[in-house]
Amino acid sequence: MSPHPLGVSVTLLAALATCGPSNPCGSSEMHLRARFSQPYVGHWVVARGDTLTLPELGDRFKLTDVILDSGRVAVSGTCRFKGALVFAVPRAETLAVTWYGSPEQALIYGWPVDLGPFAGVGASRVGDSLVGAILFDSQLGVQVRPGVTARFVAGRARREAP
């Protein structure tokens, strides 16, 4: 007697489910990424930063805070940490972002397309500071003059006494 077709389908689906991709936030690669990212975790307040104006967009941008959390989130089959970028200009706004760190730098993603041709932020630790620049996305069609940057230097936020 041949097996029932429905029974074979259920068994096949169960086998495929167990072979599917595991949670990227629990992978061994993520344990190493968490170790590399640890020096960047925290609330960083921008002490000095360029106010970027792009003539094509007419908006100025001023970053005030970079918040890099250690909470994890799966994004398109990979795992990143949660974070936020806080702006004062063009409008007071906090953007939810994702990020990860490497020994050389932290890369911050999640800039909304409607704000401009930005790919995110690249930042490095220099002593007790976080030094970075806004990265441009050439695939969005806005041409940026060579040498145009929006750099910033941030220090750790001071904790207020209770």
Side-chain angles (χ1 to χ4, degrees):
M1 175 178 215
S2 65
H4 188 275
L6 183 58
V8 170
S9 297
V10 170
T11 304
L12 182 59
L13 284 174
L16 288 174
T18 60
C19 294
S22 62
N23 178 359
C25 292
S27 70
S28 59
E29 176 187 339
M30 193 57 198
H31 296 294
L32 185 59
R33 187 172 279 182
R35 193 174 89 204
F36 289 149
S37 298
Q38 193 57 43
Y40 301 100
V41 171
H43 184 158
W44 300 87
V45 176
V46 175
R48 292 186 316 273
D50 298 338
T51 299
L52 174 66
T53 301
L54 294 176
E56 297 91 343
L57 300 174
D59 284 334
R60 291 177 29 235
F61 294 88
K62 182 168 174 60
L63 179 66
T64 62
D65 296 75
V66 177
I67 303 166
L68 302 176
D69 193 352
S70 59
R72 298 176 183 193
V73 60
V75 177
S76 301
T78 187
C79 188
R80 295 186 188 152
F81 299 104
K82 296 177 183 181
L85 296 176
V86 181
F87 289 88
V89 175
R91 56 190 178 263
E93 181 170 27
T94 300
L95 301 178
V97 295
T98 61
W99 72 280
Y100 69 90
S102 68
E104 299 83 26
Q105 68 179 337
L107 295 173
I108 304 167
Y109 301 91
W111 201 303
V113 173
D114 67 329
L115 283 182
F118 307 106
V121 173
S124 298
R125 289 288 309 269
V126 177
D128 292 338
S129 299
L130 187 68
V131 176
I134 294 173
L135 306 173
F136 297 100
D137 188 345
S138 61
Q139 296 178 358
L140 294 177
V142 173
Q143 296 298 315
V144 178
R145 291 185 332 268
V148 171
T149 62
R151 299 195 55 78
F152 67 89
V153 177
R156 290 207 182 266
R158 296 176 193 227
R159 296 179 190 212
E160 294 183 21

